[in-house]
Amino acid sequence: MADQSYGPFWDKLFEDWEAKYPECVNLFSNLPSSHDISEEQGDKLKEAIMSCYRQLVSWYRWRTQKKARKAEKGGTKQFQKIIGGFRERLPQVTEIYSDMYYKERIAPHIEIPKGASSTDRLLIIKQVTHELWNAETNAVKERVHARLVKLKHEKDEKKNRPLETPSAEQIVE
């Protein structure tokens, strides 16, 4: 990996970043788009773009070291969310059911043996949740499905809204 050339990767990243978040708009938002910038403004723009590029390179390098890859699989999730490249899945109906009714309907039925690992605990909770979901009334299932439809609608709206330029805090995080 160390002997590979990353030039094409960086070129594509910078090009995509500049297309989605043009520095010119950030720096000179009060100027009309047809207005030419002065030499001094051009120098400021170059400096801002280079600063942004250095931040992106630093951000990627800190998150793509072997140690970081192990700690955070897919170490670019935050970055992908910012630029809209991360695909989030909708929760399953049993997950929504668990979120809505865990304390009142699921928790009283869960019996976890002493010494059970966290994996075993999770499997038991998941199994009990599925069993209770299958035995649930139609009214509750309709409420859960309504929540799923609402989440799907929110996701579609989020996907279709125009992108916003991220703040400096979002870029640095």
Side-chain angles (χ1 to χ4, degrees):
M1 214 49 172
D3 60 342
Q4 293 181 359
S5 170
Y6 293 101
F9 168 77
W10 294 122
D11 292 343
K12 175 89 171 102
L13 174 70
F14 298 151
E15 183 180 309
D16 290 349
W17 186 268
E18 188 63 29
K20 288 189 181 203
Y21 310 110
E23 280 297 319
C24 190
V25 174
N26 288 344
L27 287 175
F28 312 114
S29 58
N30 56 348
L31 292 177
S33 59
S34 61
H35 187 270
D36 289 335
I37 58 174
S38 69
E39 188 175 325
E40 182 181 318
Q41 289 172 327
D43 291 341
K44 275 187 173 181
L45 180 60
K46 285 179 188 174
E47 188 178 315
I49 289 172
M50 291 310 297
S51 174
C52 179
Y53 288 178
R54 283 190 296 272
Q55 282 182 317
L56 288 170
V57 169
S58 176
W59 192 93
Y60 263 94
R61 287 193 174 145
W62 273 100
R63 283 159 182 80
T64 56
Q65 294 173 358
K66 188 175 182 179
K67 191 176 189 179
R69 283 194 305 271
K70 283 184 177 181
E72 179 181 70
K73 292 180 182 173
T76 60
K77 286 182 181 179
Q78 290 176 334
F79 181 72
Q80 289 173 335
K81 281 184 180 179
I82 292 171
I83 64 169
F86 183 71
R87 207 177 87 206
E88 292 182 20
R89 71 169 180 86
L90 288 172
Q92 296 178 358
V93 288
T94 52
E95 292 171 326
I96 296 171
Y97 172 67
S98 180
D99 286 343
M100 292 173 69
Y101 298 104
Y102 184 80
K103 283 185 180 179
E104 63 188 67
R105 297 185 184 213
I106 299 171
H109 296 280
I110 294 178
E111 296 174 14
I112 298 176
K114 286 191 176 197
S117 69
S118 59
T119 304
D120 293 338
R121 286 178 46 88
L122 213 52
L123 289 173
I124 291 168
I125 292 170
K126 194 172 183 179
Q127 181 182 12
V128 169
T129 302
H130 278 281
E131 290 170 2
L132 292 172
W133 169 252
N134 290 333
E136 199 56 74
T137 64
N138 285 338
V140 171
K141 286 184 178 184
E142 286 175 10
R143 279 187 236 130
V144 170
H145 282 290
R147 175 79 174 131
L148 179 61
V149 169
K150 182 181 175 192
L151 290 172
K152 182 173 178 16
H153 180 71
E154 288 172 359
K155 181 181 177 187
D156 290 342
E157 280 182 356
K158 189 177 185 182
K159 188 170 93 175
N160 293 331
R161 82 171 160 222
L163 291 173
E164 298 173 9
T165 303
S167 67
E169 293 83 27
Q170 289 173 315
I171 294 172
V172 176
E173 285 180 356

